[in-house]
Amino acid sequence: MSDLAKEKAARLLKKRGSVSSLGSHEVRAFGRKKDSISTLSYMEEPGHHDDIPRPTVQMENTYRLTSVRRFPVITVKDILKDVLTSYLQEEKYEPELCRQMTKTISEVVKARVKDLMIPRYKFIVIISIGQIRDQNIRMGSRCLWDETRDNFSSHTFKNSSLFAAATVYGVYFE
Amino acid sequence: MDEDQSAEETTFVVDEITTVIKEAVESTIGNSSYQHSKISQWMSNIVESSLCQLTKLGKPFKYIVTCIILQKNGAGLHTASSCFWDNTTDGSCTVRWENKTIYCVVSVFGLAI
């Protein structure tokens, strides 16, 4: 048991170590090195915050024809609206602050969407925060998925010095 | 032999995808300067040709391709993504491309079926 605890501690330390080097353009995920990416995506191990190591659940394909509950677009949009306004209402654009903010907000939104407990759905949360400076920006996406079960929800927020765009994609695991 | 093959088929291979995306971006906006009128067309082209090429890879994945095109004028932009998925089979890849007047950031998320 102590060996397991030691291993977990070593893994956590290694994870923290690699996260702190995120200042350079590199993301390390469980020893699998990715090519240099300049948008910082913070990868968290599932069950990272638990003290008791939970066994990983392997989900198998189901024979159901449709999902039990569909992706709740409006609920998720409300969550996004809520989180963005509460975190960014009074903020001014600052490079360091916004860097941290994007990571924090994406984690918060992910946690809240997870709390909705929609079975067999995988989520992707994308947050972009930018400075307003008379420039033009265009964001677009296309998805190859199942039209009937997969969906997305997005919201944008703007104040005098910054703008934020948040999107959540929900994909059914059949 | 069969097992090895199936393992390769169902994991997200970052390098392959990066090459596909870079090609798509280069072919669409390779030598162009920022032009407001053409932006939506470029955006559709990049995203659709990336998705086309990805489907041609023939892997059992659902893909989400997002693209941000930004005019260069000194403003800052931060992007973060947080994903709740199966770490063993799903993955993402981001490609950043720039020239003198345009920044282009393309992200691909692949979720195993």
Side-chain angles (χ1 to χ4, degrees):
Chain A
M1 200 54 186
S2 66
D3 274 335
L4 200 66
K6 265 191 224 159
E7 220 182 86
K8 181 139 185 126
R11 240 187 316 142
L12 277 173
L13 261 171
K14 207 167 123 195
K15 198 86 195 114
R16 282 211 197 99
S18 63
V19 165
S20 62
S21 71
L22 262 175
S24 58
H25 307 293
E26 200 182 313
V27 169
R28 205 173 273 270
F30 327 120
R32 185 174 58 145
K33 192 159 185 212
K34 285 199 169 177
D35 292 342
S36 59
I37 312 169
S38 33
T39 52
L40 303 168
S41 24
Y42 173 66
M43 289 201 176
E44 192 180 296
E45 220 176 69
H48 186 81
H49 298 298
D50 296 322
D51 284 333
I52 308 156
R54 266 187 291 179
T56 6
V57 177
Q58 192 80 4
M59 285 222 117
E60 290 201 335
N61 299 100
T62 181
Y63 289 95
R64 291 189 131 265
L65 291 174
T66 64
S67 50
V68 173
R69 258 179 75 189
R70 300 185 67 180
F71 185 73
V73 182
I74 307 187
T75 318
V76 174
K77 189 169 168 83
D78 288 334
I79 293 177
L80 290 175
K81 217 184 282 184
D82 193 29
V83 174
L84 286 180
T85 30
S86 65
Y87 275 82
L88 297 172
Q89 190 68 51
E90 302 299 327
E91 304 292 343
K92 284 206 114 27
Y93 179 83
E94 266 153 55
E96 264 317 300
L97 170 73
C98 288
R99 194 159 77 91
Q100 260 331 105
M101 201 55 99
T102 41
K103 287 192 261 180
T104 316
I105 295 181
S106 67
E107 288 296 320
V108 168
V109 172
K110 185 179 76 169
R112 284 184 66 166
V113 176
K114 267 167 84 172
D115 285 340
L116 295 175
M117 300 278 264
I118 305 159
R120 299 192 75 93
Y121 266 87
K122 297 177 178 174
F123 303 112
I124 295 174
V125 179
I126 304 179
I127 311 285
S128 307
I129 298 184
Q131 186 183 16
I132 292 183
R133 239 209 191 195
D134 287 336
Q135 90 279 27
N136 247 307
I137 181 170
R138 195 155 191 115
M139 303 191 190
S141 75
R142 281 276 193 284
C143 311
L144 180 71
W145 60 22
D146 185 343
E147 203 28 54
T148 52
R149 295 172 239 171
D150 305 325
N151 217 326
F152 76 98
S153 179
S154 69
H155 182 71
T156 46
F157 168 84
K158 191 170 116 156
N159 73 14
S160 53
S161 65
L162 57 76
F163 69 90
T167 315
V168 179
Y169 298 92
V171 178
Y172 182 66
F173 179 65
E174 19 177 317
Chain B
M1 190 69 137
D2 272 347
E3 235 180 71
D4 282 347
Q5 224 175 26
S6 62
E8 229 182 74
E9 286 292 316
T10 54
T11 46
F12 192 78
V13 183
V14 181
D15 302 318
E16 228 178 337
I17 311 264
T18 318
T19 333
V20 168
I21 304 291
K22 276 202 185 127
E23 260 180 59
V25 176
E26 287 280 330
S27 61
T28 313
I29 51 176
N31 287 320
S32 330
S33 300
Y34 183 84
Q35 274 167 280
H36 185 67
S37 50
K38 292 210 177 147
I39 270 289
S40 47
Q41 199 193 355
W42 284 342
M43 166 94 32
S44 317
N45 273 344
I46 292 176
V47 175
E48 272 162 33
S49 64
S50 311
L51 209 46
C52 256
Q53 295 299 321
L54 289 172
T55 38
K56 284 191 189 148
L57 295 175
K59 301 220 171 147
F61 276 98
K62 287 183 178 177
Y63 293 106
I64 296 172
V65 180
T66 64
C67 173
I68 301 176
I69 297 186
L70 177 60
Q71 188 183 12
K72 263 193 186 182
N73 82 339
L77 174 75
H78 300 271
T79 308
S81 69
S82 185
C83 310
F84 178 61
W85 58 24
D86 182 346
N87 263 317
T88 49
T89 52
D90 307 329
S92 71
C93 143
T94 309
V95 172
R96 194 186 77 161
W97 185 93
E98 64 179 288
N99 70 9
K100 289 211 195 82
T101 49
I102 310 175
Y103 273 123
C104 179
V105 183
V106 181
S107 304
V108 180
F109 299 86
L111 298 125
I113 300 178

